Amino acid sequence: MKKVVKFKIGQIIFIVVLIVIVIIILITLLIKKQDLSIDTKANLSQCDGYNNAGGKASCYLELAVLYNDSRICDAIITEEGWEFQKDSCYLQVGFSVLDYHICEKIIDIETYGSDCYSLIAAEKKDLSICEQISEQIDLPLRKICYAAVAEAKQDPSICEKINQQNIKDNCYYSVAIARKDPKICDLTNINYNRNSCYSLIATLKKDPKICDLISNNEDMKDYCYKSAGESS
């Protein structure tokens, strides 16, 4: 025989009150969102007062960043040479809210799109965001993003994903400086970069012994000793 669950009057009242509170909170949030939308539209109308495309674009950009709303960026015209304002708008809002999907709206992927993905990926320390960048033959944008995340996470193993030597070297260099670890400098392929890496870390740590690692460049080694604080 099935048991019948009985609720006491007090329990029923508590549940009803709880439901009412939740409904009130949801309504309040909805009203606030609606108020912001109205406020935003009122401010957008002020941008119509600009007669030139540049002034109007700057106005939209300022409001988009203020409200963290990429939809305002959509209002920026993409002609008369102001396309960069629209891309810059998406970049700034995207980074502000850390939403890489906004980066997908950017037209100039090489200049603004790459920065958008890389900044967000580095800030969130999320390598998977770099994978959202479409690989293009002449544009190593995804590799640059990998390097940005590697520096943010201070993880030299991420640099191994990069198959372009100059970017890989820069990746190791940045991670080595971030960790102040001269051993990571050893991973760079170009001797000048390696020496420069040693010199900067020696200066940051005020450790002239690191300067001894510099090879085939006596001028840089001497400068390193001075910068690291070794008295002559």
Side-chain angles (χ1 to χ4, degrees), residues 80-119:
E80 297 185 41
W82 294 101
E83 299 89 344
F84 74 94
Q85 287 275 45
K86 192 167 193 172
D87 283 347
S88 178
C89 186
Y90 289 135
L91 166 61
Q92 292 184 57
V93 175
F95 179 61
S96 180
V97 299
L98 296 179
D99 182 2
Y100 72 85
H101 293 97
I102 296 175
C103 305
E104 297 169 0
K105 296 184 176 183
I106 293 175
I107 299 171
D108 186 350
I109 189 68
E110 181 179 3
T111 304
Y112 294 95
S114 176
D115 286 345
C116 187
Y117 285 109
S118 296
L119 286 169

Side-chain angles (χ1 to χ4, degrees), residues 135-155:
E135 282 284 65
Q136 300 181 42
I137 297 175
D138 299 323
L139 301 175
L141 306 182
R142 188 181 294 178
K143 302 177 183 70
I144 293 172
C145 185
Y146 289 150
V149 176
E151 181 180 3
K153 297 183 73 171
Q154 298 186 16
D155 183 358

Side-chain angles (χ1 to χ4, degrees), residues 1-65:
M1 183 176 181
K2 295 183 178 179
K3 293 183 179 180
V4 179
V5 179
K6 295 182 178 180
F7 292 97
K8 295 181 180 180
I9 298 297
Q11 291 176 317
I12 295 174
I13 293 174
F14 174 77
I15 293 172
V16 172
V17 170
L18 186 62
I19 292 173
V20 171
I21 290 173
V22 171
I23 292 173
I24 291 174
I25 292 173
L26 290 174
I27 292 174
T28 302
L29 291 174
L30 184 61
I31 291 173
K32 285 184 177 180
K33 185 175 181 181
Q34 186 177 9
D35 288 343
L36 178 61
S37 178
I38 293 171
D39 189 29
T40 303
K41 289 179 180 178
N43 281 297
L44 280 175
S45 64
Q46 297 177 15
C47 298
D48 295 333
Y50 289 91
N51 294 323
N52 60 84
K56 188 176 291 187
S58 297
C59 180
Y60 286 138
L61 190 154
E62 184 177 339
L63 289 175
V65 173

